[in-house]
Amino acid sequence: MRLILNVIWFVLAGLWLAISYLLAALLMFILIITIPFALQAVKLAMFALWPFGRTVVKRPDAGAPSFIGNVLWLILAGWWLSLGHLVTGLVLCITIIGIPLGLGSFKMIPVCLWPFGREIVPVEQADATATIGAGSAAQPRRTPA
């Protein structure tokens, strides 16, 4: 099912969204000082091409630099890229077949607005990490004797 959704997504929305991310990355690479932002844009472009089967998780080691990067990202590129996802999602939701794709576009808006401190991983890896984290949290802490 993921393959079918990804192929339809690529044709209807993924290609032009990825191109918009790559244009933002190109502009940021040219400005040199914004290269870390360009790398985020490239990462998001790859996610926009083939999003189904992958998810976004927060990195536990993200701190103040990620917050500052996110604020700058929001000003430089995040708002108009998220607007592209919003418009794409609304257009895709017009048809019944496009509703899952539109919802996928809406789910990409938060990472589009705040990409720093987040990582794109396969769904299976995120599920395994959540299971391991829940299992270790559920076990009582043992103190040395």
Side-chain angles (χ1 to χ4, degrees), residues 12-95:
L12 296 179
L15 184 60
W16 84 268
L17 285 171
I19 289 171
S20 64
Y21 279 109
L22 292 175
L23 287 174
L26 180 64
L27 177 65
M28 291 180 199
F29 275 126
I30 290 172
L31 296 175
I32 297 176
I33 197 167
T34 55
I35 288 178
F37 300 100
L39 296 175
Q40 289 295 328
V42 170
K43 178 176 78 170
L44 291 172
M46 297 302 111
F47 185 46
L49 276 178
W50 211 254
F52 295 98
R54 297 192 288 170
T55 189
V56 178
V57 294
K58 291 183 180 181
R59 288 186 12 220
D61 60 342
S66 292
F67 177 75
I68 294 167
N70 281 328
V71 170
L72 292 173
W73 170 268
L74 181 66
I75 294 167
L76 294 174
W79 68 271
W80 63 270
L81 290 169
S82 64
L83 185 63
H85 280 289
L86 181 65
V87 170
T88 301
L90 291 173
V91 170
L92 287 171
C93 283
I94 291 173
T95 65

Side-chain angles (χ1 to χ4, degrees), residues 89-110:
L90 291 173
V91 170
L92 287 171
C93 283
I94 291 173
T95 65
I96 291 176
I97 294 173
I99 290 174
L101 303 172
L103 295 176
S105 184
F106 295 146
K107 287 181 182 178
M108 292 177 71
I109 290 174

